[in-house]
Amino acid sequence: MKNFILQNENAIYFECKFSCDNVIFLNLSDEKYFITDARYTIEAKEYAKDCQVIESSNLIDTTKEILKNNKIKKIMFDPNDFTYATYLNLSENLKTQFIAKPNFSKEKRVIKTEKEIKLLKKAAKFGRDGFKELAKFIRKNGFNQTEQFLYFKAFEKMSQAGNLDISFEPIVAINENAAKPHALPTNKKLKLNDLLLVDAGVKYKRYCSDRTCTSVVDFEKFSFKREQKFKNKKHQKVYDIVLKAQLNAIEKARVGMKASEVDKLTRDVIEKSGYGKYFIHSTGHGVGLDIHEYPVINSKSDVIIEDNMVFTIEPGIYLPNEFGVRIEDTIVMQNGKAIIL
């Protein structure tokens, strides 16, 4: 459908290379309208491409007026994008029929352009730099620091002291806290031979990076490299299984597979090792302007993997009250195979 309406910032950015937190974007065949308030019009006129910027003190009224003037019969919208109140206001006393199509913008963005892949690679590189800086801090000053303090340091190091936005709030988890996939930082302190899980990412020109490393705490040689030598035998055993599962999927993922088959590549390894019930989330998710995009890599997805799709491969094993291990990289499908960004 050529007529659609957007309110999501990243969806709007994808259409016109600019967005803000108070905007309605209308695409009516060949006419595009960026409707915003006086706080944003100067920048919108400077940066928004191929659309008419309209300043308004009431975005909904202005939108309705444009729809009426253009005699628009039908318009597509994403029901995840609008509050119920906004939807009611928009559709009230209007002859235009609103057609709900969930996630149509994410579907549009599932195959990345070469330019987008370059930006995602750059984001991944900056993300890796952030992990290196955080590792350096942990080697020098990490001993006895709390998860909360290390979480603050993850913010600082990942963002290059505020030069970059982070793509989500970092996860910093020690030992049994790492058994919670989205652990909140506590006042638990970092000690020698602890297991430390860090999940973090940054944005470069709005495109996200996403990576998880699980490491053994050794204050002389500490690193977020994939090769880890744990003193605790169970830590090592579980770590090796998760790494094997992750590498199996990265090595064997192919264009033409279903997303569920990619999920199976990690899940089978973990299930064969007897830890199947402790792998409690999907294998991965698309990454782009949003940290969670399409495709979704889970056991139910029939989506066919195509070249230029970008997604994470992040198996994990979580043993409640003991510890958890997750290993994650963001990959791009190119020439039929998975390449780590």
Side-chain angles (χ1 to χ4, degrees):
M1 188 180 272
K2 285 228 179 125
N3 298 338
F4 59 85
I5 181 168
L6 295 170
Q7 213 180 11
N8 176 281
E9 278 193 57
N10 284 333
I12 293 170
Y13 180 85
F14 182 75
E15 297 296 334
C16 69
K17 297 293 167 270
F18 181 71
S19 196
C20 59
D21 64 6
N22 190 35
V23 53
I24 291 178
F25 185 88
L26 279 178
N27 191 102
L28 308 178
S29 294
D30 305 323
E31 296 287 312
K32 294 178 171 71
Y33 302 91
F34 189 103
I35 306 154
T36 188
D37 67 67
R39 294 171 300 168
Y40 299 113
T41 42
I42 294 172
E43 280 177 321
K45 281 175 178 163
E46 193 178 337
Y47 296 114
K49 305 257 185 294
D50 308 321
C51 58
Q52 197 178 323
V53 176
I54 294 173
E55 188 179 304
S56 167
S57 56
N58 187 321
L59 273 53
I60 290 172
D61 285 355
T62 304
T63 301
K64 288 170 87 162
E65 210 173 293
I66 293 168
L67 292 171
K68 273 179 191 162
N69 292 345
N70 284 276
K71 298 187 173 61
I72 301 299
K73 290 192 176 77
K74 287 179 180 176
I75 194 158
M76 185 163 69
F77 79 108
D78 182 346
N80 300 307
D81 199 358
F82 290 84
T83 64
Y84 186 53
T86 304
Y87 170 73
L88 286 181
N89 277 341
L90 270 171
S91 52
E92 196 181 31
N93 302 326
L94 201 60
K95 287 185 177 145
T96 307
Q97 186 189 352
F98 283 76
I99 313 282
K101 185 149 194 281
N103 300 311
F104 71 85
S105 177
K106 282 186 179 177
E107 280 168 11
K108 217 179 187 177
R109 285 150 38 200
V110 71
I111 307 285
K112 304 296 187 262
T113 63
E114 292 302 327
K115 193 177 173 186
E116 286 181 298
I117 290 166
K118 273 185 186 154
L119 294 172
L120 285 159
K121 272 188 178 157
K122 200 85 193 244
K125 186 201 168 295
F126 283 132
R128 188 170 278 259
D129 293 346
F131 268 95
K132 278 184 187 155
E133 288 302 311
L134 182 60
K136 207 184 282 180
F137 173 81
I138 289 169
R139 280 197 299 274
K140 277 171 88 173
N141 306 309
F143 182 68
N144 245 348
Q145 300 288 6
T146 64
E147 282 177 343
Q148 281 157 340
F149 185 74
L150 292 169
Y151 167 82
F152 159 71
K153 280 291 162 188
F155 255 101
E156 183 194 310
K157 301 300 181 188
M158 293 304 294
S159 71
Q160 296 187 1
N163 284 320
L164 295 167
D165 281 334
I166 56 164
S167 41
F168 56 94
E169 295 203 355
I171 295 164
V172 176
I174 300 166
N175 295 347
E176 66 271 20
N177 217 16
K180 308 165 196 164
H182 280 195
L184 298 169
T186 69
N187 55 13
K188 188 174 177 56
K189 289 180 176 174
L190 196 65
K191 301 278 197 292
L192 188 64
N193 300 327
D194 277 348
L195 174 145
L196 177 69
L197 183 151
V198 177
D199 184 348
V202 296
K203 287 182 185 180
Y204 175 71
K205 296 191 175 174
R206 292 185 79 115
Y207 282 82
C208 298
S209 80
D210 192 0
R211 185 168 178 240
T212 305
C213 301
T214 305
S215 302
V216 59
V217 178
D218 168 348
F219 294 105
E220 281 171 29
K221 301 194 290 279
F222 180 85
S223 83
F224 287 116
K225 288 182 176 144
R226 290 295 179 239
E227 204 173 295
Q228 293 288 328
K229 292 277 169 272
F230 290 85
K231 293 281 185 285
N232 179 312
K233 282 191 178 131
K234 197 170 181 184
H235 285 179
Q236 191 69 53
K237 182 188 173 190
V238 170
Y239 184 85
D240 290 344
I241 293 163
V242 174
L243 184 58
K244 187 181 170 188
Q246 199 228 12
L247 292 174
N248 191 51
I250 292 171
E251 282 160 19
K252 294 180 184 168
R254 292 290 180 270
V255 160
M257 276 184 172
K258 288 179 178 174
S260 58
E261 291 176 275
V262 178
D263 181 86
K264 198 173 180 325
L265 290 170
T266 62
R267 211 163 292 280
D268 280 358
V269 173
I270 291 172
E271 278 173 1
K272 275 181 193 138
S273 70
Y275 286 98
K277 67 174 184 177
Y278 301 108
F279 180 11
I280 53 178
H281 54 69
S282 61
T283 287
H285 56 85
V287 177
L289 287 165
D290 286 316
I291 190 62
H292 291 115
E293 290 203 346
Y294 286 166
V296 177
I297 311 297
N298 66 20
S299 57
K300 295 182 179 71
S301 175
D302 288 332
V303 167
I304 302 295
I305 300 298
E306 294 181 56
D307 261 338
N308 286 19
M309 280 184 172
V310 173
F311 53 89
T312 65
I313 294 181
E314 50 176 307
I317 292 174
Y318 307 92
L319 305 176
N321 305 316
E322 281 191 76
F323 65 94
V325 171
R326 178 166 67 257
I327 301 172
E328 171 187 27
D329 286 292
T330 303
I331 63 100
V332 58
M333 297 303 294
Q334 277 182 330
N335 302 318
K337 296 196 296 241
I339 293 158
I340 296 175
L341 283 178

